[in-house]
Amino acid sequence: MSHRWLPLAAIGVSVVLWSAAYVVSGWALETTSPAVLSVGRFAIALLVLIPLAARRPGLVRTLRQPRTILLGLTGVTLYYSFANIGLLFTTPGTAALTAAFLPVLTAGAAVLLIHERPTRRTWWGLALATLGVGLVAASGFRVDVGVLLNIVALASYALYTVLLRKDAGSADAPDAIVLATATGVWGTIIMLPWLAWEAFSGTIAVPGDVRGLVSILILALVVTAPTLVLFNYGAERLPAAVSGVATAAIPALGYGFALLLGEPLDPIKAIGGAIALTGVVIATLAAPDIEPSPPGSALPEPAELATETLARAREKTPGPDR
């Protein structure tokens, strides 16, 4: 039973780190251009991840797989590019509230693309989480260009989450560190033309103060590297809808961080955050009842499959009385 809770714990820690990233990214963008921030945080994170992944089998093979390139494009390049550009047009708090759309986008993508069938508790959790983040957003949400760009980023990340789940469970699947590293490598490579465009257009800007530099280091070493590994680990092993609902905690946790930093208490936001977190708990409690077979395939367990195959072989083999 315990091994089934490890993916939930991994997703939970990644969501907590993710919730703090909006404020730190806003600090970095005060003096840093979006491409420099995006490429810089991943380049620094890869300095830690590559040596770890190189000690494990399958890194080169994983880098060559088309699936890894697609994961890098959706989960790194498109998500972080649109999210960081969006922060130039909206506040970190508003961007964090926009994350309320991610659970719905992920659940919808899971149903449409891999025909995943969420449990009844997952649907109830999704409904409560959506209601909760809706209440949080009602107190301070406004639609602007930054919000629209962040929704595009979230749609890309929803696709990334579903892709992680879609091809998980194969015999030659890499471990979380290898996959996270390979995904980060491709995502960073695909972002390099954007960085070159900033350089040629004269819009490139490197951190101009200590806070900007420290913000990038925090994003790289405290947020990006751990979150990439932990979320990959959890999302490969949980239904995509459950992983998506867990992200509903981001707006609530983001508001909690704001309270710790001195923001006045808003009862509506507080109630909405509590409802959202309740929905997350209800949805994630459904995870241990999910069979650990690939999503949408309804495959039997390996032992059952072996028994069934052996039985069919015996039926086809002539016996001594035939």
Side-chain angles (χ1 to χ4, degrees):
M1 176 69 73
S2 61
H3 73 280
R4 295 204 177 181
W5 291 100
L6 289 177
L8 290 175
I11 291 288
V13 173
S14 68
V15 164
V16 172
L17 295 174
W18 194 346
S19 302
Y22 290 97
V23 174
V24 182
S25 295
W27 292 343
L29 287 169
E30 291 176 359
T31 58
T32 309
S33 59
V36 171
L37 173 59
S38 301
V39 175
R41 67 187 289 186
F42 272 92
I44 296 172
L46 289 174
L47 292 177
V48 176
L49 291 176
I50 288 177
L52 295 176
R55 299 178 181 178
R56 299 167 180 263
L59 177 59
V60 175
R61 182 183 70 250
T62 304
L63 284 168
R64 293 175 177 174
Q65 294 175 346
R67 176 203 182 209
T68 308
I69 301 175
L70 187 57
L71 288 173
L73 174 65
T74 55
V76 177
T77 305
L78 294 180
Y79 173 72
Y80 286 95
S81 298
F82 282 105
N84 285 334
I85 295 174
L87 279 171
L88 297 177
F89 299 95
T90 193
T91 65
T94 302
L97 293 177
T98 308
F101 292 97
L102 185 54
V104 178
L105 291 171
T106 304
V111 172
L112 292 175
L113 298 180
I114 59 176
H115 309 294
E116 192 173 84
R117 297 181 297 274
T119 66
R120 183 176 299 177
R121 279 186 293 180
T122 300
W123 284 119
W124 275 109
L126 177 62
L128 282 176
T130 303
L131 174 62
V133 295
L135 288 175
V136 173
S139 295
F141 190 76
R142 59 188 179 88
V143 177
D144 52 27
V145 175
V147 168
L148 297 178
L149 291 172
N150 270 278
I151 291 176
V152 174
L154 293 169
S156 177
Y157 206 85
L159 179 59
Y160 167 76
T161 303
V162 173
L163 290 174
L164 278 173
R165 178 62 180 159
K166 179 178 182 295
D167 296 321
S170 61
D172 60 344
D175 69 20
I177 293 179
V178 170
L179 181 59
T181 303
T183 299
V185 167
W186 275 114
T188 304
I189 290 174
I190 300 173
M191 284 192 290
L192 291 178
W194 179 28
L195 182 64
W197 178 84
E198 279 196 349
F200 284 118
S201 65
T203 59
I204 194 170
V206 298
D209 55 17
V210 175
R211 186 165 82 159
L213 179 59
V214 172
S215 296
I216 292 181
L217 291 176
I218 292 174
L219 288 170
L221 302 178
V222 181
V223 178
T224 301
T227 298
L228 194 58
V229 174
L230 293 171
F231 192 86
N232 279 14
Y233 174 83
E236 280 196 303
R237 291 160 176 80
L238 293 173
V242 173
S243 299
V245 173
T247 62
I250 293 174
L253 291 174
Y255 180 61
F257 286 134
L259 290 178
L260 292 176
L261 294 174
E263 181 175 320
L265 176 66
D266 184 323
I268 300 298
K269 285 184 178 180
I271 294 173
I275 294 175
L277 290 176
T278 301
V280 171
V281 171
I282 291 175
T284 53
L285 286 177
D289 295 331
I290 302 295
E291 292 297 329
S293 57
S297 62
L299 291 178
E301 291 292 322
E304 298 176 9
L305 185 62
T307 302
E308 183 179 348
T309 303
L310 181 60
R312 291 180 179 177
R314 289 176 176 175
E315 291 177 358
K316 295 180 180 180
T317 302
D321 56 342
R322 293 184 183 180

